[in-house]
Structures are given as structure tokens and as C-alpha cells.
Amino acid sequence: MIEPLIQTDTLIVGAGPIGLELAVVFKTMGVDYVQVDAGQVGQTVSWYPRQVRFFSSPERIAIAGVPLSTSDQEKATREHYLAYLRGIVQQFELKINTYERVLSVQKQNDTFLVQTRRGGEQRTYQANHVVMAVGDMHHPQKLQIPGEDLDHVSHYFDEPHRYFGQKLLIVGGRNSAVETAIRCSRTGAAVTLSYRRAAFDDKSIKYWLLPEIQALIKSGQVTYLPNTTPTRLCETHARLVKTTAEGEIDPSGGDPIDVPADFVLLLTGYRMDTSLFEDAGVTLVGENQGPEFDPATMMTNVPGLFVAGTAAAGTQKRFRLFIENCHPHVSKITRSITGQSPPPGLINDAAKTYDLPES
Ligand SMILES: Cc1cc2nc3c(=O)[nH]c(=O)nc-3n(C[C@H](O)[C@H](O)[C@H](O)COP(=O)(O)OP(=O)(O)OC[C@H]3O[C@@H](n4cnc5c(N)ncnc54)[C@H](O)[C@@H]3O)c2cc1C
């Protein structure tokens, strides 16, 4: 049986904070659109570790003109922000096709054919415009070493209780690794932290974490192995070798070190899946291999195909795009598609207030 085409003016791919902010504007303006997400609303935030706090202040990650207020005046947690996003969906009665993954985006004449799958059901949409608000953290950055797929090895930290009384090796030296080391050490894990650089970057580590980790290392509660990287993971231990100042394996670094480990967390970052962009004919540019787009409109080199949110950055080695400086994408795309500005008050103007780089 041939499935009927589902017609819409604009298909929004992704219901993260920026995709949702755009949907609120479209709904309010009466734009004909459909929004799909491969997972749940706020899917990327949902896999943050439990109780983790945003480094961005609440007012900067608020969307759609709805205040985000925390009961303790601190940064929002994962749980708080997910509840906030659910509230936005309810308040604006957004219809989102969740758990529906976009498989391909193809331009045919002047329209796009978008293939999706939800469970066993395949759908095809025909749209005049497609907005890709798909984020930039789809897969872990793998180290490509033997043992990386063993059961006790993971690229995701969920919560610390699992590691109570266990020997835990954490690999990485940015926020995720440092925060995980602090939390797991305080939960009673014997934590070893391996980082390929000599020292943490004090400009990018959350300011409240740096003194904490330094104190734990100084007191011996966390064993810190700077300038090391694993080359093999086994059931009982990890083999580490020395690295150079640039973080590369040092051939003259001496004997490897075997670190006993019941569990290993490889917190070495995430990369963007650009396959949908490539299939659609979008050119990838620069070191981050992000989509080519016009910063005035957010339209890619494929006419009618837009990019919104952190997806615009590609795989971010150093973070440049955050929720707080992606809000302007929503206004630019709205103006480009509808010819009108969004109604006042619906878009967070944090980027203006905080003098962030224009994105
Ligand atoms: C632990 C942690 C802490 C962080 N803290 C902060 C912070 O303090 N401030 C900040 O700004 N950022 C933070 N980030 C990054 C933050 O998650 C992103 O900035 C934010 O989620 C980007 O929003 P977005 O709407 O652009 O994309 P996302 O939130 O990534 O949303 C993209 C959506 O697209 C969907 N999608 C992807 N592919 C498909 C497909 N093929 N078909 C259908 N749907 C698809 C996904 O399921 C997802 O729901 C943090 C990240 C982590 C891991």
C-alpha cells in the first residue's frame, strides 16, 4: 500500500529548547507546521546525569517568554528544566510527534520529501521548508581502543550510586569528567581521573567545580593522572600511557601504567551526526564540519532548508553555541519563512542582554 503524503508548509525536526521556541512562535503566528522528534521532548537534556545543574543561568535558557525560576535561586537542574519544557508544551498546546525519527530529507523540485519512522510505521511528509533543530551531541567521541565496548565501560554518566565502593576510572578533563569525579568520590567510589592534558582549563570548567576537584586531588580523595590516556581496557584494569603537552601519545613516555578499575567512564565529548544534512545536499564546512548557512537567515546552501540551535555549530571542540545565544535563530528563521517578525516577548533576548557573540 502506498502511504499518502502528509503536506505541511514547514517541518521542524527536533523538539529541544530551540525547536520548541520556534514551534511556540509558529503556533502563535498560525504558521502551518509539523514538529517531529526522534525521542522525547528535550531528548538531549534527558540524558544529562541526574540532578546535574546547567552552567547557564536560568534566565538565559528560558524560552518563549516564559520565566524559568528556581526555588533556590541557583542554576536549574536537568529535572527542573525538563519539567519546564513539558510545561511549555502544555501551556502552548504544542503538538509534537515524539519518537518519530527523520530518516532522510530530499529536495524534489521546489519541495522537500521527508521520510520518517515511528515504531514500525513509515511516514512521508512534503514540506516547502525544513528546519533542522537537531542539536550537536548525537554520538560519543569514541577513543577507538580495544575494550571500549565492554559492559563495565560507558560513555554516559547517569548517577553516582552505581559506583559506591567501586574502583572507578574516569577519562576526560572537562566539565562532565570533573563533575562526575567529584560526585562519585563523594558517593564513596575510589576515583581515578585520567586526563590527556597537564591541567584543567580554568576558563571552561564551571567556576564552582574547579576548587572542589583541586581540593579532592590535593587531599588524595581523587587520584589524578595528568598527561595520560588509555590504550586498552580490560575486565579488571585499564592500560594508560603518557601523553605529550599537546595531549598526543608520547612514544618516549616510558612504561604503561595499569590502573585497576571495576567501571570506566569515558567522558571525552560528543559529536554531531551530519548524515541528514549531507543527504539533503548541505555542504559541511570548517574544522567542526557544521552546515553551511547564511547567518542573516539561517538558511543553508540548500534553499528552503534551515538550521537552528546548536546544530549550526557542527561538532563543537570548544563550545561556542549554547542555548542562550541560539535564541536569535528563531527570529531569523521566522522572518525568512513568514516575512514577519515574531510577536514581541516570545523570544528570549538573552544574547542581546549579555552581549554574547551574534550567532
Ligand atoms: C551535561 C550537559 C550539560 C549541559 N549544560 C548546558 C548549559 O548549561 N547551557 C547550554 O546552553 N547548553 C548546555 N548543554 C548543551 C545543551 O544540551 C545544548 O546546548 C542544547 O540541548 C541545545 O539545544 P537545541 O535545541 O539546539 O538541540 P537539542 O536540545 O540537542 O535538541 C535536538 C533534538 O533533535 C532531535 N533529533 C536529532 N536527530 C533527529 C532526527 N533524525 N529525527 C528527529 N529528531 C531528531 C533530538 O532527539 C533532540 O530532541 C549541556 C549538555 C550536557 C551533556
Side-chain angles (χ1 to χ4, degrees):
M1 194 181 87
I2 299 171
E3 298 291 334
L5 281 180
I6 304 166
Q7 312 273 348
T8 184
D9 180 69
T10 301
L11 189 88
I12 304 175
V13 189
I18 300 302
L20 289 174
E21 193 161 43
L22 182 64
V24 170
V25 170
F26 277 8
K27 174 103 198 261
T28 309
M29 293 176 76
V31 176
D32 168 32
Y33 78 94
V34 171
Q35 183 167 31
V36 301
D37 196 294
Q40 184 51 276
V41 166
Q43 181 65 30
T44 304
V45 178
S46 76
W47 60 256
Y48 290 8
R50 286 185 221 175
Q51 302 299 335
V52 85
R53 282 187 193 277
F54 277 78
F55 59 78
S56 305
S57 310
E59 64 275 16
R60 299 185 190 197
I61 56 173
I63 59 171
V66 178
L68 169 63
S69 178
T70 55
S71 57
D72 54 3
Q73 298 79 52
E74 291 289 348
K75 320 261 183 184
T77 60
R78 161 197 180 272
E79 286 71 13
H80 191 154
Y81 198 59
L82 286 175
Y84 171 79
L85 295 183
R86 292 195 297 271
I88 298 277
V89 173
Q90 290 172 322
Q91 176 177 341
F92 291 95
E93 298 180 352
L94 301 180
K95 178 168 173 354
I96 300 156
N97 297 348
T98 49
Y99 301 104
E100 181 171 339
R101 176 172 292 280
V102 170
L103 304 175
S104 76
V105 178
Q106 296 294 330
K107 184 130 196 198
Q108 220 175 58
N109 303 321
D110 282 342
T111 59
F112 291 92
L113 287 184
V114 181
Q115 305 277 352
T116 70
R117 188 178 55 227
R118 187 185 198 278
E121 189 190 348
Q122 304 253 12
R123 290 180 183 162
T124 307
Y125 296 87
Q126 186 170 38
N128 298 323
H129 311 100
V130 174
V131 180
M132 302 281 282
V134 293
D136 64 337
M137 302 177 121
H138 303 116
H139 304 293
Q141 291 277 16
K142 291 212 167 184
L143 297 182
Q144 310 294 357
I145 56 172
E148 196 163 6
D149 295 326
L150 287 170
D151 285 349
H152 70 301
V153 179
S154 176
H155 294 84
Y156 297 91
F157 170 57
D158 178 12
E159 55 97 28
H161 177 71
R162 177 180 166 88
Y163 308 108
F164 169 64
Q166 308 296 308
K167 293 186 278 296
L168 173 64
L169 172 67
I170 299 170
V171 177
R174 296 164 117 194
N175 278 306
S176 296
V178 166
E179 189 156 8
T180 303
I182 296 168
R183 291 181 66 182
C184 291
S185 170
R186 296 235 164 93
T187 309
V191 175
T192 301
L193 182 58
S194 160
Y195 185 32
R196 64 194 177 96
R197 306 248 173 219
F200 307 116
D201 179 356
D202 57 6
K203 290 194 187 66
S204 64
I205 299 283
K206 294 172 185 172
Y207 63 85
W208 65 91
L209 294 180
L210 201 53
E212 299 270 348
I213 190 70
Q214 285 166 339
L216 288 171
I217 291 170
K218 198 169 170 198
S219 66
Q221 287 161 280
V222 167
T223 305
Y224 182 44
L225 301 177
N227 283 125
T228 62
T229 190
T231 52
R232 170 180 292 274
L233 304 173
C234 307
E235 300 283 357
T236 54
H237 65 275
R239 175 151 292 188
L240 306 185
V241 297
K242 287 300 246 181
T243 56
T244 61
E246 290 74 40
E248 305 300 332
I249 291 178
D250 183 353
S252 57
D255 291 337
I257 316 158
D258 282 344
V259 176
D262 302 310
F263 290 95
V264 180
L265 287 171
L266 300 174
L267 303 179
T268 48
Y270 301 93
R271 65 181 174 81
M272 180 173 167
D273 182 345
T274 52
S275 55
L276 281 183
F277 286 96
E278 288 171 84
D279 287 352
V282 176
T283 308
L284 302 180
V285 291
E287 191 198 2
N288 292 355
Q289 288 292 281
E292 183 181 323
F293 65 93
D294 175 356
T297 61
M298 303 307 292
M299 189 155 78
T300 65
N301 60 292
V302 177
L305 182 62
F306 295 81
V307 61
T310 53
T315 297
Q316 304 197 64
K317 296 199 177 72
R318 297 195 71 81
F319 284 95
R320 187 180 63 84
L321 269 192
F322 308 96
I323 298 167
E324 59 196 84
N325 56 354
C326 288
H327 304 294
H329 299 178
V330 176
S331 318
K332 291 174 185 180
I333 292 170
T334 305
R335 276 197 294 272
S336 190
I337 291 179
T338 70
Q340 296 169 46
S341 293
L346 277 190
I347 295 180
N348 188 337
D349 58 3
K352 277 189 213 139
T353 317
Y354 295 101
D355 198 23
L356 280 158
E358 178 72 354
S359 59

